[in-house]
Amino acid sequence: MLKFAGIVLSLFLSFSMLNAQEMEIVDVTALTQLITGKDTKQMLVLTKDFVASERGAGLLNRLNACVESANNEQLSQSARKAQEYANGKSPADEADKYYDELIAYLDKDFAKGYMSRDEYKKQKAEIENRRKELKKELAKEMKQMSEMMGKVADIADRPKMKDNPKELLNDLIRYSVGGKTWRHATSMGKGIVMVSDGNALEYSWGVMNVIDTPIFPEQYQVYAWDADSELIILENDSQQRGLFRYDGTELIAFNDNEMWLDLGHPIVNTGKEFQALDHDGKLMFAYPEIRSFEKYWTVKGDNVKWGVVDNNGEVLVPIKYCGIFDADSNGKHYIGGFITSGSNDMDLYDPETWQMVGKRINQKVILK
């Protein structure tokens, strides 16, 4: 069992009680950017019950209104600029002034003999071409501005920001899991969320539940998780993996074996064999190689042949084939075992009864 400081769950709240309360991830990036002026993604983790409550719904509506007001103000500023252009403060006039000054400097250099006539003509032509291209681009912008001018009155009449953005964010944070914003947050189901500030190049994740109890500190990679089986595989800084329950119980300590989740079950590659484990981390079966196949498993035996087994390790398709694949014919689904290497011929099995029902020879299905 891992002994992280501050990880002990409250005794009066069983973990099963938390499963009914799910998380909702709320993106408050626009609000934090409004406050800080920095382009940094920020998420809040709230319970769905709070989001659905009168208080929560009211705060989130105010959040949206606050951001909309900020967007309206930006539009209003652009519209005012468009109005100024329409009143004669055209950027094209400023462009002409700039290029006229460039040509004036060019004229002086030519008059003083600093350049030949050919060089003078060449540079002057380049300046005029740049003037022409810029004014063409400005004409496009002016057209867009003129279209925006028609919205000036409408924008001006829109409601102004009622809330102080910083106070609103602080109010929301009061109800958030972890009591702060996170750069990354992902719901893992069953009232569990993984969070990260994302400050490091290879940012680390922490895992929390809805009562703000940290199950794992923010120092691991969450390599894999499965809400149905309530299993998590964590990876530490040494790239070792360990298997844990959603409540923090250690099932397999961090070690150097490769480990992942498949069909909701841990698969461990010990280097000598692949082990399929149950949800308690106990061995179900082991083979030289294991792969998921629909809701079953294809396994490779010591004879370097493949077959199909169930979660109990019971053999459903004999371990004697070069490969196991789906085989559909006339709307009927079969499991096919390739008989020899380099051939498309296969034995066909019914995935409901797991009885051999025929063969496919030269792409033709022959049933018993």
Side-chain angles (χ1 to χ4, degrees), residues 194-208:
M194 61 180 187
V195 291
S196 175
D197 278 331
N199 295 323
L201 183 63
E202 291 282 342
Y203 54 80
S204 299
W205 293 91
V207 180
M208 306 182 69

Side-chain angles (χ1 to χ4, degrees), residues 141-156:
E141 291 184 16
M142 287 293 293
K143 183 178 179 181
Q144 294 173 349
M145 290 290 187
S146 64
E147 292 173 354
M148 190 177 293
M149 281 172 49
K151 304 176 183 178
V152 172
D154 176 54
I155 293 171

Side-chain angles (χ1 to χ4, degrees), residues 48-338:
K48 286 190 175 180
D49 281 357
F50 172 72
V51 171
S53 70
E54 183 177 349
R55 176 67 171 153
L59 281 172
L60 292 175
N61 286 337
R62 285 166 57 193
L63 182 156
N64 293 330
C66 188
V67 173
E68 184 179 0
S69 294
N71 291 335
N72 288 344
E73 179 58 29
Q74 288 183 338
L75 286 173
S76 183
Q77 290 175 2
S78 296
R80 284 194 293 271
K81 189 174 182 180
Q83 189 69 61
E84 290 177 359
Y85 287 163
N87 292 336
K89 295 182 179 179
S90 171
D93 294 339
E94 293 296 321
D96 275 330
K97 183 179 178 181
Y98 171 72
Y99 285 110
D100 285 344
E101 288 177 354
L102 286 181
I103 290 177
Y105 284 122
L106 194 66
D107 288 342
K108 288 180 181 178
D109 286 347
F110 176 65
K112 291 179 181 179
Y114 294 158
M115 64 178 65
S116 66
R117 180 173 294 278
D118 288 343
E119 183 63 23
Y120 168 73
K121 288 181 178 180
K122 180 181 178 182
Q123 289 195 27
K124 187 173 182 179
E126 287 180 358
I127 291 173
E128 292 296 348
N129 282 334
R130 274 183 274 164
R131 184 205 302 260
K132 183 178 178 181
E133 290 300 318
L134 178 60
K135 292 180 77 170
K136 188 185 297 183
E137 291 299 318
L138 289 173
K140 292 180 182 178
E141 291 184 16
M142 287 293 293
K143 183 178 179 181
Q144 294 173 349
M145 290 290 187
S146 64
E147 292 173 354
M148 190 177 293
M149 281 172 49
K151 304 176 183 178
V152 172
D154 176 54
I155 293 171
D157 290 338
R158 291 178 184 176
K160 302 298 181 183
M161 192 180 302
K162 295 180 180 179
D163 282 288
N164 179 311
K166 191 171 184 179
E167 291 178 2
L168 177 58
L169 182 60
N170 287 337
D171 208 354
L172 277 164
I173 287 174
R174 284 175 51 202
Y175 300 96
S176 68
V177 173
K180 58 179 289 185
T181 60
W182 303 92
R183 189 170 182 183
H184 308 279
T186 302
S187 174
M188 301 172 70
K190 303 294 180 74
I192 299 297
V193 64
M194 61 180 187
V195 291
S196 175
D197 278 331
N199 295 323
L201 183 63
E202 291 282 342
Y203 54 80
S204 299
W205 293 91
V207 180
M208 306 182 69
N209 63 32
V210 293
I211 58 171
D212 282 6
T213 305
I215 303 172
F216 301 104
E218 195 183 339
Q219 66 185 57
Y220 298 106
Q221 295 294 318
V222 180
Y223 183 79
W225 78 90
D226 181 77
D228 290 334
S229 59
E230 299 185 13
L231 294 176
I232 308 172
I233 294 178
L234 298 180
E235 188 171 89
N236 62 20
D237 289 341
S238 300
Q239 295 185 318
Q240 294 176 316
R241 296 175 191 171
L243 178 67
F244 305 87
R245 294 191 195 279
Y246 267 28
D247 62 3
T249 302
E250 178 186 278
L251 298 177
I252 299 177
F254 288 107
N255 63 78
D256 293 324
N257 289 335
E258 189 179 9
M259 178 165 45
W260 61 94
L261 292 176
D262 207 343
L263 300 181
H265 288 276
I267 306 297
V268 178
N269 180 4
T270 67
K272 295 180 179 179
E273 63 182 7
F274 283 45
Q275 298 176 345
L277 311 181
D278 65 16
H279 296 164
D280 294 320
K282 297 178 180 179
L283 181 67
M284 297 192 302
F285 54 85
Y287 282 93
E289 194 167 340
I290 298 171
R291 298 176 186 171
S292 59
F293 183 77
E294 299 180 356
K295 58 181 179 179
Y296 299 98
W297 308 91
T298 58
V299 296
K300 182 166 70 173
D302 294 328
N303 59 356
V304 200
K305 300 292 185 179
W306 291 85
V308 178
V309 302
D310 63 14
N311 284 345
N312 296 317
E314 181 180 348
V315 176
L316 304 174
V317 173
I319 304 172
K320 64 177 187 179
Y321 295 102
C322 295
I324 303 292
F325 294 90
D326 289 314
D328 296 323
S329 178
N330 296 324
K332 177 66 177 176
H333 178 55
Y334 301 102
I335 305 302
F338 281 114

